[in-house]
Amino acid sequence: MQAKFVCPCLLGVEGLVARELREMGAEQVEAVNGRVYFTGGLDMLARANLCCRYAERVLIQLGSFPARSFEELFEGVRALPWEAWIGKADAFPVKGRSINSKLFSIPDCQSIIKKAVVERLKQAYRLPWFEETGPVHQIQFFLMKDKAELMLDTSGPGLHKRGYRAQASLAPIKETLAAVMANLARVRADTQLIDPCCGSGTILIEGALLAMNIAPGLRRRFAAERWAVSPAAVWRQERQRAQDLINHDAAFAAQGYDIDQAALDLTMQNAQKAGVASRLTVEKRPLENFVQESQRGTVVCNPPYGERLLDVRQAQELYQTMGKLFTPQKGWSYSIISPDEEFEQWFGRAADKRRKLYNGMIKCQLYQYFR
């Protein structure tokens, strides 16, 4: 069964998502603002869920059409092939959002879409009502400038929920963003990764998963695994494929430092759950004691922001300290994410490269130093 899929993603990382999907074998890959479209079969549905590092979830796109009135919305939804995915007993709740559209009431849109899907399924299954006791097929809608897009969520919890981080330190970075930072910092199989303010270890763990080519979704389950139209054999095959691609011989190693011992303990607990604890070492050490202890190192960090844990002045003092300690040296690179537009001034040097990223709703820059 061929289908069209869409992966929502953080703004600014569409290119990374598109590239990894092409490398997985996805077809007709197209990146737009905050989303990447592609086509494939049920094997690609499973593969994308298991292996996407940077996307937020995998949705099936059922269709899109103009929706300037509730009648247009109803008829457009009813015309879509819901029975190809939703069984007689399956649950199909509806959620979504509307931006710059005449149909702005979310509850009203939910009600209309639900009624339209029910009518379509009534006709397909010759049933008067649906018990909805089976696996969940979450319907998502997106109304943008009077155009409706209807989708089914195959992931369940977002793809950033890898399964290793049941707990996190205060103000953690999202796993998908940490993976993006590791990619942009050129973490490879032989990288020596360092996070001098590692918190609960998300950057270190995502770096290890990337370096060893471990699929980030291997230790969790997905909504579509319970769907009748998505065979268990396909998921078993794709999980085995991902296992076979792991690079157990990678020379990767990571060091994490923090002033909070509880955070360091949490880092190792999370790393154990992720299956990469043997690649990590942690030590209670303040940033002021950072030294370049080897011939090469890749520093990637998410220091506390003024908007969150520290006041602005404390954050700026932290950047000044980093600028003094993160000195240019052959074999070393530094990637620091910050929302402070004056970061380079406080750090003391202009970045060799900057990349706009979003940490939640906070607009940031990834400042990179490698010369």
Side-chain angles (χ1 to χ4, degrees), residues 48-347:
N49 273 296
L50 287 164
C51 301
C52 279
R53 296 185 192 281
Y54 319 114
E56 296 302 311
R57 57 183 64 246
V58 181
L59 308 171
I60 300 166
Q61 189 198 42
L62 269 291
S64 60
F65 50 85
R68 292 152 296 200
S69 67
F70 286 129
E71 182 179 359
E72 271 192 327
L73 180 62
F74 182 89
E75 294 300 336
V77 172
R78 188 169 63 171
L80 300 177
W82 299 100
E83 68 279 5
W85 300 97
I86 301 174
K88 297 177 182 178
D90 293 338
F92 47 100
V94 179
K95 67 179 181 181
R97 57 199 180 107
S98 175
I99 299 175
N100 297 331
S101 293
K102 293 182 179 69
L103 304 181
F104 58 85
S105 170
I106 301 304
D108 287 343
C109 290
Q110 286 175 300
S111 178
I112 293 294
I113 291 169
K114 184 76 173 186
K115 288 177 183 176
V117 177
V118 167
E119 287 303 313
R120 173 77 185 205
L121 295 180
K122 277 183 178 180
Q123 185 179 16
Y125 293 127
R126 301 289 191 264
L127 290 175
W129 64 283
F130 298 92
E131 58 188 40
E132 296 195 53
T133 56
V136 174
H137 293 58
Q138 177 68 63
I139 296 172
Q140 289 200 16
F141 68 88
F142 180 46
L143 280 162
M144 177 73 169
K145 295 182 179 178
D146 297 328
K147 184 178 180 180
E149 184 175 14
L150 274 295
M151 297 153 288
L152 281 174
D153 177 20
T154 72
S155 301
L159 295 184
H160 71 279
K161 296 188 176 181
R162 319 291 207 201
Y164 65 76
R165 199 173 77 173
Q167 300 181 62
S169 59
L170 201 56
I173 194 168
K174 205 172 185 179
E175 293 90 331
T176 42
L177 179 57
V180 167
M181 291 169 60
N183 178 295
L184 295 175
R186 298 185 178 277
V187 169
R188 300 291 186 267
D190 62 348
T191 294
Q192 306 300 299
L193 179 63
I194 302 159
D195 185 348
C197 37
C198 68
S200 52
T202 306
I203 290 173
L204 301 175
I205 293 168
E206 290 298 325
L209 295 177
L210 174 61
M212 298 177 68
N213 200 34
I214 299 174
L218 264 179
R219 294 180 175 241
R220 58 161 285 182
R221 296 289 172 176
F222 303 91
E225 286 190 74
R226 299 188 61 221
W227 296 3
V229 296
S230 181
V234 171
W235 288 89
R236 285 195 299 270
Q237 174 184 312
E238 289 302 322
R239 286 183 184 277
Q240 187 58 56
R241 174 188 176 277
Q243 289 280 3
D244 293 343
L245 291 172
I246 295 174
N247 181 5
H248 296 283
D249 298 326
F252 174 88
Q255 294 85 46
Y257 307 113
D258 206 284
I259 57 173
D260 183 356
Q261 186 60 49
L264 296 174
D265 293 342
L266 194 53
T267 290
M268 294 311 298
Q269 290 172 27
N270 292 340
Q272 188 71 40
K273 291 175 186 173
V276 296
S278 64
R279 304 303 180 118
L280 270 63
T281 58
V282 297
E283 181 183 329
K284 188 174 181 180
R285 183 192 293 188
L287 178 66
E288 292 79 6
N289 290 355
F290 174 86
V291 289
Q292 297 166 324
E293 296 175 324
S294 59
Q295 290 186 337
R296 61 192 177 94
T298 300
V299 175
V300 183
C301 62
N302 171 41
Y305 304 162
E307 286 106 300
R308 302 188 304 168
L309 299 183
L310 302 176
D311 65 33
V312 173
R313 182 58 196 151
Q314 284 178 301
Q316 290 168 344
E317 289 174 355
L318 196 64
Y319 303 151
Q320 286 179 314
T321 301
M322 287 180 170
K324 294 173 183 175
L325 297 171
F326 296 175
T327 56
Q329 182 172 316
K330 186 178 179 181
W332 281 77
S333 68
Y334 308 92
S335 298
I336 309 127
I337 191 169
S338 172
D340 193 334
E341 294 182 359
E342 297 181 347
F343 172 87
E344 292 163 305
Q345 175 185 327
W346 296 108
F347 190 82

